[in-house]
Amino acid sequence: MISAYFILASSLKHRDRAAIISSLTHMRDAYKDEGQRGLEREAAVQISRQGKDAHVIRLLSRDGRKLLEMRTATWNGFNLNRAVPIVPPKTLRWTVIPGIRDEQVMELASRRLSNGDILQVGNSDAAREDVLERFRWILAAIFLPAILLGFIGGFFIARRALRPVRDLIQTLEAVKSGAIGARAPDRPASGELAELAGIFNTMMERIESLVRGMKSALDNVAHDLRTPMTRLRAIAELPLRSEPGVFDYREVLADCVEESDNVLAMLDTLMDISEAETGTMTLKLESVDMHELLGQAVEAYRYAAEEKGIRINADDAAANVRVLCDRGRMRRVVANLLDNAVKYTPAGGLITVDVAEKNGFAIFRVSDTGIGIPADDLPKIWDRLYRGGTSRSQRGLGLGLSLVKAIVDAHGGDVSVASTSGSGSCFTLRLKITS
Ligand code: ADP
């Protein structure tokens, strides 16, 4: 629209100047034919034809004296005495003369005649300005409402589009002031900002569950350490309160060291379980052959089993069943299951270890012909520090199976048990195989 205005202004100016030039040529021809009289006559004809809109016609001597001036009352608003330009021969010189009172201007074309006099024809830009002013009004009438509408529309669109950001800021303020449960409202919007709010909420869920997990882990560790620490204190306190010579201090110190080792082992395992349960455990995942892992674990426990008169059979384990897992941690899982099987199976028993592949899963089994688990105890054996009634005579912290479950869960697998009290147990691990 703006460029249309400038094109119109320029073409109107071009048209006005062309009319002035044509009039100048006509007057020059009249002067050439009949001298000043011819010029006067043609100017008079023009005035009679065009009335007040007729061009100004002037003839100046070479030294600038006015020889002839034909003009209507329209031109009284211009001081033409100032319009004596230097005009080289055969050149058209344009002079712009400002109006005395209003903003009109006159465009005056000057040309030197063959005798050295100067012929001038001029016209004002009033008519052109009229047209342009009308055009400017039309432009304003169209543009101003359009711009206003654009601003109002833009304001509302931006407000609506930025609503998720405002929500997010409010939620962040709430989180900053301690409300960790604050979430960005779930609005039925789409686009990147709504996606950002969704990601923020998921992230906050995760942070909240980590904080909750860490807090409960700390509470549990503090609670679980109380018993062994009290025991340790009692071992050290009793000889201190007794008469010298009643207790052998070396023996007491050895008990303290053993109890401290238990506490440290317990602390390590508790931390591992908490890490696995809260999802903060870093797993070094690699493709591991379960058959190979199982072989190493069996070798490690074969001696302890033979000592007790227990046989371990791993002959049916399938070769090359690969699982994406943390080798070190999976070794601990297998070792814990085997350790329990050896612990809770009396002499003459049999432990069978087996690996198989089924429907895209690696199935790993450790079964024994041991004491079994009473049905009432079955759901509790996975709890931290739970020890079955018949297990008290065996060494243990009651953390082995909790660790097994936490690690297997962290790998996205599952572990289950089937057991009959008095005739044996079978623990089954299920992990996705590496494709
Ligand atoms: P613990 O240190 O007592 O072995 P675990 O967490 O490894 O702790 O096991 C929890 C309980 O589950 C044990 O105390 C025991 O009662 C029971 N249990 C685990 N494995 C076996 C098994 N193979 N046979 C019988 N009972 C078992």
PDB file of all heavy atoms in Angstrom, residues 185-212:
ATOM      1  N   PRO A 185      -0.145 -26.855  35.419  1.00  0.00           N
ATOM      2  CA  PRO A 185      -1.476 -27.397  35.106  1.00  0.00           C
ATOM      3  C   PRO A 185      -1.496 -28.093  33.757  1.00  0.00           C
ATOM      4  O   PRO A 185      -0.806 -27.666  32.825  1.00  0.00           O
ATOM      5  CB  PRO A 185      -2.374 -26.157  35.084  1.00  0.00           C
ATOM      6  CG  PRO A 185      -1.508 -25.002  35.341  1.00  0.00           C
ATOM      7  CD  PRO A 185      -0.123 -25.427  35.607  1.00  0.00           C
ATOM      8  N   ASP A 186      -2.286 -29.149  33.686  1.00  0.00           N
ATOM      9  CA  ASP A 186      -2.363 -29.934  32.457  1.00  0.00           C
ATOM     10  C   ASP A 186      -3.424 -29.314  31.556  1.00  0.00           C
ATOM     11  O   ASP A 186      -4.602 -29.566  31.715  1.00  0.00           O
ATOM     12  CB  ASP A 186      -2.739 -31.373  32.846  1.00  0.00           C
ATOM     13  CG  ASP A 186      -2.553 -32.312  31.685  1.00  0.00           C
ATOM     14  OD1 ASP A 186      -1.958 -31.876  30.686  1.00  0.00           O
ATOM     15  OD2 ASP A 186      -3.014 -33.469  31.779  1.00  0.00           O
ATOM     16  N   ARG A 187      -2.994 -28.456  30.610  1.00  0.00           N
ATOM     17  CA  ARG A 187      -3.965 -27.788  29.737  1.00  0.00           C
ATOM     18  C   ARG A 187      -4.094 -28.545  28.426  1.00  0.00           C
ATOM     19  O   ARG A 187      -3.119 -29.139  27.966  1.00  0.00           O
ATOM     20  CB  ARG A 187      -3.495 -26.356  29.439  1.00  0.00           C
ATOM     21  CG  ARG A 187      -3.438 -25.509  30.685  1.00  0.00           C
ATOM     22  CD  ARG A 187      -3.426 -24.045  30.282  1.00  0.00           C
ATOM     23  NE  ARG A 187      -3.136 -23.186  31.402  1.00  0.00           N
ATOM     24  CZ  ARG A 187      -4.022 -22.764  32.272  1.00  0.00           C
ATOM     25  NH1 ARG A 187      -5.275 -23.121  32.148  1.00  0.00           N
ATOM     26  NH2 ARG A 187      -3.669 -21.970  33.263  1.00  0.00           N
ATOM     27  N   PRO A 188      -5.286 -28.470  27.812  1.00  0.00           N
ATOM     28  CA  PRO A 188      -5.451 -29.198  26.551  1.00  0.00           C
ATOM     29  C   PRO A 188      -4.813 -28.428  25.401  1.00  0.00           C
ATOM     30  O   PRO A 188      -5.476 -28.016  24.460  1.00  0.00           O
ATOM     31  CB  PRO A 188      -6.975 -29.284  26.390  1.00  0.00           C
ATOM     32  CG  PRO A 188      -7.477 -28.094  27.140  1.00  0.00           C
ATOM     33  CD  PRO A 188      -6.508 -27.786  28.227  1.00  0.00           C
ATOM     34  N   ALA A 189      -3.517 -28.156  25.486  1.00  0.00           N
ATOM     35  CA  ALA A 189      -2.838 -27.410  24.420  1.00  0.00           C
ATOM     36  C   ALA A 189      -1.812 -28.323  23.769  1.00  0.00           C
ATOM     37  O   ALA A 189      -1.426 -29.346  24.307  1.00  0.00           O
ATOM     38  CB  ALA A 189      -2.137 -26.202  25.033  1.00  0.00           C
ATOM     39  N   SER A 190      -1.388 -27.904  22.559  1.00  0.00           N
ATOM     40  CA  SER A 190      -0.334 -28.677  21.891  1.00  0.00           C
ATOM     41  C   SER A 190       0.815 -27.728  21.595  1.00  0.00           C
ATOM     42  O   SER A 190       0.725 -26.537  21.881  1.00  0.00           O
ATOM     43  CB  SER A 190      -0.887 -29.277  20.604  1.00  0.00           C
ATOM     44  OG  SER A 190      -1.365 -28.245  19.801  1.00  0.00           O
ATOM     45  N   GLY A 191       1.888 -28.218  21.010  1.00  0.00           N
ATOM     46  CA  GLY A 191       3.023 -27.376  20.666  1.00  0.00           C
ATOM     47  C   GLY A 191       4.159 -27.540  21.652  1.00  0.00           C
ATOM     48  O   GLY A 191       4.035 -28.230  22.666  1.00  0.00           O
ATOM     49  N   GLU A 192       5.262 -26.850  21.316  1.00  0.00           N
ATOM     50  CA  GLU A 192       6.508 -27.038  22.080  1.00  0.00           C
ATOM     51  C   GLU A 192       6.364 -26.617  23.539  1.00  0.00           C
ATOM     52  O   GLU A 192       6.899 -27.260  24.432  1.00  0.00           O
ATOM     53  CB  GLU A 192       7.652 -26.234  21.445  1.00  0.00           C
ATOM     54  CG  GLU A 192       8.304 -26.895  20.243  1.00  0.00           C
ATOM     55  CD  GLU A 192       7.528 -26.655  18.961  1.00  0.00           C
ATOM     56  OE1 GLU A 192       6.410 -26.071  19.036  1.00  0.00           O
ATOM     57  OE2 GLU A 192       7.998 -27.067  17.892  1.00  0.00           O
ATOM     58  N   LEU A 193       5.614 -25.509  23.784  1.00  0.00           N
ATOM     59  CA  LEU A 193       5.528 -25.021  25.167  1.00  0.00           C
ATOM     60  C   LEU A 193       4.741 -25.992  26.038  1.00  0.00           C
ATOM     61  O   LEU A 193       5.107 -26.242  27.192  1.00  0.00           O
ATOM     62  CB  LEU A 193       4.894 -23.630  25.198  1.00  0.00           C
ATOM     63  CG  LEU A 193       5.789 -22.534  24.617  1.00  0.00           C
ATOM     64  CD1 LEU A 193       5.094 -21.191  24.664  1.00  0.00           C
ATOM     65  CD2 LEU A 193       7.101 -22.458  25.379  1.00  0.00           C
ATOM     66  N   ALA A 194       3.657 -26.562  25.468  1.00  0.00           N
ATOM     67  CA  ALA A 194       2.881 -27.548  26.226  1.00  0.00           C
ATOM     68  C   ALA A 194       3.745 -28.774  26.489  1.00  0.00           C
ATOM     69  O   ALA A 194       3.701 -29.370  27.571  1.00  0.00           O
ATOM     70  CB  ALA A 194       1.635 -27.938  25.441  1.00  0.00           C
ATOM     71  N   GLU A 195       4.560 -29.128  25.483  1.00  0.00           N
ATOM     72  CA  GLU A 195       5.467 -30.279  25.630  1.00  0.00           C
ATOM     73  C   GLU A 195       6.468 -30.010  26.754  1.00  0.00           C
ATOM     74  O   GLU A 195       6.771 -30.882  27.567  1.00  0.00           O
ATOM     75  CB  GLU A 195       6.214 -30.466  24.311  1.00  0.00           C
ATOM     76  CG  GLU A 195       6.762 -31.853  24.114  1.00  0.00           C
ATOM     77  CD  GLU A 195       7.460 -31.980  22.763  1.00  0.00           C
ATOM     78  OE1 GLU A 195       6.913 -31.459  21.765  1.00  0.00           O
ATOM     79  OE2 GLU A 195       8.534 -32.535  22.725  1.00  0.00           O
ATOM     80  N   LEU A 196       6.946 -28.744  26.775  1.00  0.00           N
ATOM     81  CA  LEU A 196       7.913 -28.342  27.815  1.00  0.00           C
ATOM     82  C   LEU A 196       7.289 -28.510  29.207  1.00  0.00           C
ATOM     83  O   LEU A 196       7.930 -29.041  30.118  1.00  0.00           O
ATOM     84  CB  LEU A 196       8.310 -26.874  27.595  1.00  0.00           C
ATOM     85  CG  LEU A 196       9.339 -26.295  28.525  1.00  0.00           C
ATOM     86  CD1 LEU A 196      10.695 -26.909  28.227  1.00  0.00           C
ATOM     87  CD2 LEU A 196       9.427 -24.794  28.368  1.00  0.00           C
ATOM     88  N   ALA A 197       6.015 -28.089  29.338  1.00  0.00           N
ATOM     89  CA  ALA A 197       5.331 -28.222  30.633  1.00  0.00           C
ATOM     90  C   ALA A 197       5.218 -29.704  31.007  1.00  0.00           C
ATOM     91  O   ALA A 197       5.435 -30.077  32.164  1.00  0.00           O
ATOM     92  CB  ALA A 197       3.952 -27.585  30.564  1.00  0.00           C
ATOM     93  N   GLY A 198       4.924 -30.549  30.012  1.00  0.00           N
ATOM     94  CA  GLY A 198       4.823 -31.990  30.255  1.00  0.00           C
ATOM     95  C   GLY A 198       6.158 -32.557  30.735  1.00  0.00           C
ATOM     96  O   GLY A 198       6.211 -33.313  31.712  1.00  0.00           O
ATOM     97  N   ILE A 199       7.246 -32.157  30.035  1.00  0.00           N
ATOM     98  CA  ILE A 199       8.583 -32.657  30.406  1.00  0.00           C
ATOM     99  C   ILE A 199       8.938 -32.176  31.810  1.00  0.00           C
ATOM    100  O   ILE A 199       9.483 -32.918  32.626  1.00  0.00           O
ATOM    101  CB  ILE A 199       9.637 -32.179  29.381  1.00  0.00           C
ATOM    102  CG1 ILE A 199       9.396 -32.859  28.036  1.00  0.00           C
ATOM    103  CG2 ILE A 199      11.045 -32.476  29.864  1.00  0.00           C
ATOM    104  CD1 ILE A 199      10.226 -32.341  26.907  1.00  0.00           C
ATOM    105  N   PHE A 200       8.567 -30.911  32.088  1.00  0.00           N
ATOM    106  CA  PHE A 200       8.866 -30.353  33.417  1.00  0.00           C
ATOM    107  C   PHE A 200       8.173 -31.179  34.497  1.00  0.00           C
ATOM    108  O   PHE A 200       8.779 -31.544  35.508  1.00  0.00           O
ATOM    109  CB  PHE A 200       8.402 -28.892  33.467  1.00  0.00           C
ATOM    110  CG  PHE A 200       8.489 -28.298  34.840  1.00  0.00           C
ATOM    111  CD1 PHE A 200       9.692 -27.835  35.337  1.00  0.00           C
ATOM    112  CD2 PHE A 200       7.364 -28.220  35.646  1.00  0.00           C
ATOM    113  CE1 PHE A 200       9.776 -27.313  36.611  1.00  0.00           C
ATOM    114  CE2 PHE A 200       7.434 -27.692  36.919  1.00  0.00           C
ATOM    115  CZ  PHE A 200       8.653 -27.236  37.401  1.00  0.00           C
ATOM    116  N   ASN A 201       6.886 -31.507  34.247  1.00  0.00           N
ATOM    117  CA  ASN A 201       6.133 -32.285  35.242  1.00  0.00           C
ATOM    118  C   ASN A 201       6.751 -33.664  35.460  1.00  0.00           C
ATOM    119  O   ASN A 201       6.889 -34.123  36.587  1.00  0.00           O
ATOM    120  CB  ASN A 201       4.675 -32.430  34.819  1.00  0.00           C
ATOM    121  CG  ASN A 201       3.899 -31.163  35.111  1.00  0.00           C
ATOM    122  OD1 ASN A 201       4.412 -30.275  35.771  1.00  0.00           O
ATOM    123  ND2 ASN A 201       2.690 -31.069  34.614  1.00  0.00           N
ATOM    124  N   THR A 202       7.145 -34.310  34.328  1.00  0.00           N
ATOM    125  CA  THR A 202       7.765 -35.640  34.452  1.00  0.00           C
ATOM    126  C   THR A 202       9.051 -35.530  35.265  1.00  0.00           C
ATOM    127  O   THR A 202       9.336 -36.373  36.128  1.00  0.00           O
ATOM    128  CB  THR A 202       8.108 -36.194  33.051  1.00  0.00           C
ATOM    129  OG1 THR A 202       7.024 -35.934  32.189  1.00  0.00           O
ATOM    130  CG2 THR A 202       8.397 -37.665  33.088  1.00  0.00           C
ATOM    131  N   MET A 203       9.822 -34.474  34.970  1.00  0.00           N
ATOM    132  CA  MET A 203      11.092 -34.278  35.670  1.00  0.00           C
ATOM    133  C   MET A 203      10.853 -34.072  37.174  1.00  0.00           C
ATOM    134  O   MET A 203      11.542 -34.646  38.013  1.00  0.00           O
ATOM    135  CB  MET A 203      11.785 -33.051  35.080  1.00  0.00           C
ATOM    136  CG  MET A 203      13.184 -32.836  35.570  1.00  0.00           C
ATOM    137  SD  MET A 203      13.777 -31.267  34.950  1.00  0.00           S
ATOM    138  CE  MET A 203      12.930 -30.138  36.030  1.00  0.00           C
ATOM    139  N   MET A 204       9.797 -33.292  37.489  1.00  0.00           N
ATOM    140  CA  MET A 204       9.493 -33.037  38.900  1.00  0.00           C
ATOM    141  C   MET A 204       9.040 -34.321  39.608  1.00  0.00           C
ATOM    142  O   MET A 204       9.372 -34.543  40.761  1.00  0.00           O
ATOM    143  CB  MET A 204       8.403 -31.966  39.030  1.00  0.00           C
ATOM    144  CG  MET A 204       8.891 -30.545  38.823  1.00  0.00           C
ATOM    145  SD  MET A 204      10.346 -30.115  39.778  1.00  0.00           S
ATOM    146  CE  MET A 204       9.737 -30.228  41.438  1.00  0.00           C
ATOM    147  N   GLU A 205       8.261 -35.159  38.862  1.00  0.00           N
ATOM    148  CA  GLU A 205       7.838 -36.451  39.439  1.00  0.00           C
ATOM    149  C   GLU A 205       9.072 -37.243  39.842  1.00  0.00           C
ATOM    150  O   GLU A 205       9.156 -37.802  40.931  1.00  0.00           O
ATOM    151  CB  GLU A 205       7.059 -37.305  38.408  1.00  0.00           C
ATOM    152  CG  GLU A 205       5.717 -36.783  37.985  1.00  0.00           C
ATOM    153  CD  GLU A 205       4.703 -36.791  39.106  1.00  0.00           C
ATOM    154  OE1 GLU A 205       4.934 -37.473  40.099  1.00  0.00           O
ATOM    155  OE2 GLU A 205       3.695 -36.069  38.980  1.00  0.00           O
ATOM    156  N   ARG A 206      10.033 -37.266  38.895  1.00  0.00           N
ATOM    157  CA  ARG A 206      11.253 -38.059  39.108  1.00  0.00           C
ATOM    158  C   ARG A 206      12.042 -37.494  40.298  1.00  0.00           C
ATOM    159  O   ARG A 206      12.468 -38.251  41.173  1.00  0.00           O
ATOM    160  CB  ARG A 206      12.088 -37.983  37.815  1.00  0.00           C
ATOM    161  CG  ARG A 206      13.382 -38.714  37.837  1.00  0.00           C
ATOM    162  CD  ARG A 206      13.300 -39.996  36.995  1.00  0.00           C
ATOM    163  NE  ARG A 206      14.570 -40.713  37.033  1.00  0.00           N
ATOM    164  CZ  ARG A 206      14.867 -41.604  37.963  1.00  0.00           C
ATOM    165  NH1 ARG A 206      14.001 -41.899  38.889  1.00  0.00           N
ATOM    166  NH2 ARG A 206      16.041 -42.216  37.947  1.00  0.00           N
ATOM    167  N   ILE A 207      12.194 -36.161  40.324  1.00  0.00           N
ATOM    168  CA  ILE A 207      12.952 -35.543  41.421  1.00  0.00           C
ATOM    169  C   ILE A 207      12.261 -35.846  42.750  1.00  0.00           C
ATOM    170  O   ILE A 207      12.898 -36.223  43.725  1.00  0.00           O
ATOM    171  CB  ILE A 207      13.083 -34.020  41.204  1.00  0.00           C
ATOM    172  CG1 ILE A 207      14.005 -33.742  40.021  1.00  0.00           C
ATOM    173  CG2 ILE A 207      13.616 -33.333  42.450  1.00  0.00           C
ATOM    174  CD1 ILE A 207      14.119 -32.297  39.623  1.00  0.00           C
ATOM    175  N   GLU A 208      10.917 -35.694  42.737  1.00  0.00           N
ATOM    176  CA  GLU A 208      10.195 -35.927  43.985  1.00  0.00           C
ATOM    177  C   GLU A 208      10.362 -37.373  44.461  1.00  0.00           C
ATOM    178  O   GLU A 208      10.603 -37.623  45.638  1.00  0.00           O
ATOM    179  CB  GLU A 208       8.714 -35.607  43.801  1.00  0.00           C
ATOM    180  CG  GLU A 208       8.013 -35.464  45.128  1.00  0.00           C
ATOM    181  CD  GLU A 208       6.523 -35.216  44.977  1.00  0.00           C
ATOM    182  OE1 GLU A 208       6.043 -35.050  43.854  1.00  0.00           O
ATOM    183  OE2 GLU A 208       5.846 -35.203  46.020  1.00  0.00           O
ATOM    184  N   SER A 209      10.298 -38.318  43.491  1.00  0.00           N
ATOM    185  CA  SER A 209      10.415 -39.721  43.917  1.00  0.00           C
ATOM    186  C   SER A 209      11.839 -39.990  44.400  1.00  0.00           C
ATOM    187  O   SER A 209      12.040 -40.762  45.336  1.00  0.00           O
ATOM    188  CB  SER A 209       9.992 -40.665  42.793  1.00  0.00           C
ATOM    189  OG  SER A 209      11.089 -41.171  42.123  1.00  0.00           O
ATOM    190  N   LEU A 210      12.844 -39.329  43.776  1.00  0.00           N
ATOM    191  CA  LEU A 210      14.225 -39.515  44.243  1.00  0.00           C
ATOM    192  C   LEU A 210      14.400 -38.963  45.653  1.00  0.00           C
ATOM    193  O   LEU A 210      14.986 -39.609  46.518  1.00  0.00           O
ATOM    194  CB  LEU A 210      15.207 -38.801  43.301  1.00  0.00           C
ATOM    195  CG  LEU A 210      15.482 -39.507  41.973  1.00  0.00           C
ATOM    196  CD1 LEU A 210      16.454 -38.691  41.135  1.00  0.00           C
ATOM    197  CD2 LEU A 210      16.072 -40.886  42.221  1.00  0.00           C
ATOM    198  N   VAL A 211      13.855 -37.757  45.874  1.00  0.00           N
ATOM    199  CA  VAL A 211      13.987 -37.136  47.196  1.00  0.00           C
ATOM    200  C   VAL A 211      13.306 -38.006  48.239  1.00  0.00           C
ATOM    201  O   VAL A 211      13.850 -38.276  49.315  1.00  0.00           O
ATOM    202  CB  VAL A 211      13.388 -35.711  47.183  1.00  0.00           C
ATOM    203  CG1 VAL A 211      13.302 -35.148  48.581  1.00  0.00           C
ATOM    204  CG2 VAL A 211      14.237 -34.792  46.314  1.00  0.00           C
ATOM    205  N   ARG A 212      12.070 -38.488  47.859  1.00  0.00           N
ATOM    206  CA  ARG A 212      11.331 -39.343  48.788  1.00  0.00           C
ATOM    207  C   ARG A 212      12.113 -40.621  49.071  1.00  0.00           C
ATOM    208  O   ARG A 212      12.275 -41.044  50.211  1.00  0.00           O
ATOM    209  CB  ARG A 212       9.965 -39.688  48.196  1.00  0.00           C
ATOM    210  CG  ARG A 212       8.875 -39.620  49.249  1.00  0.00           C
ATOM    211  CD  ARG A 212       7.532 -40.060  48.721  1.00  0.00           C
ATOM    212  NE  ARG A 212       7.034 -39.296  47.613  1.00  0.00           N
ATOM    213  CZ  ARG A 212       6.742 -39.803  46.416  1.00  0.00           C
ATOM    214  NH1 ARG A 212       6.935 -41.060  46.161  1.00  0.00           N
ATOM    215  NH2 ARG A 212       6.259 -39.035  45.478  1.00  0.00           N
TER     216      ARG A 212
END
